[in-house]
Amino acid sequence: MADTDDALRSVFLQIVDEHAFSEAELRERMEDFVFHFRDCMDELPEFVECVTSVAEMDIEKSRKCFYGFFIHALNHLEAARATVMPDHENPFLSVQPKLK
């Protein structure tokens, strides 16, 4: 776990604008980034498997897989993104699909 956390911290420092935050805020954002990725990492391979085999998958299993990803992992990924780029406007969020 420590190796993964260190690797995630390294990634964070490579992609964040370090000068945009105080040292304390940068450290807090980095730990949030690590937390959000660590909390959903186990779900990512399962989701990839679900997407790549969706044609062969039972509809109930695929529904659970997509739904689970949308309500948990996707939110963690968006939160991790926000720690790195808080002022980035997500263009996908401005497109609201018509839902039933």
Side-chain angles (χ1 to χ4, degrees):
M1 185 74 76
D3 288 345
T4 299
D5 289 1
D6 289 344
L8 287 168
R9 287 182 187 101
S10 180
V11 167
F12 175 85
L13 292 172
Q14 293 297 314
I15 59 179
V16 72
D17 177 4
E18 294 180 50
H19 305 292
F21 309 105
S22 70
E23 188 174 324
E25 186 177 6
L26 187 68
R27 193 171 32 258
E28 182 178 345
R29 285 176 176 277
M30 181 168 48
E31 293 311 311
D32 285 348
F33 179 85
V34 170
F35 163 75
H36 287 296
F37 265 100
R38 195 175 351 100
D39 201 64
C40 71
M41 283 177 86
D42 293 344
E43 296 171 56
L44 299 178
E46 180 182 339
F47 185 68
V48 169
E49 174 66 27
C50 179
V51 170
T52 58
S53 61
V54 71
E56 297 84 33
M57 194 175 287
D58 165 282
I59 192 68
E60 182 62 19
K61 185 175 179 184
S62 87
R63 183 195 68 77
K64 285 180 181 179
C65 180
F66 277 84
Y67 186 73
F69 183 79
F70 291 154
I71 64 168
H72 185 252
L74 195 56
N75 292 314
H76 276 295
L77 294 173
E78 177 59 19
R81 193 252 347 128
T83 65
V84 176
M85 304 177 333
D87 297 329
H88 173 76
E89 186 174 322
N90 187 333
F92 294 104
L93 296 180
S94 66
V95 179
Q96 296 298 316
K98 296 198 186 261
L99 302 175
K100 294 181 183 179

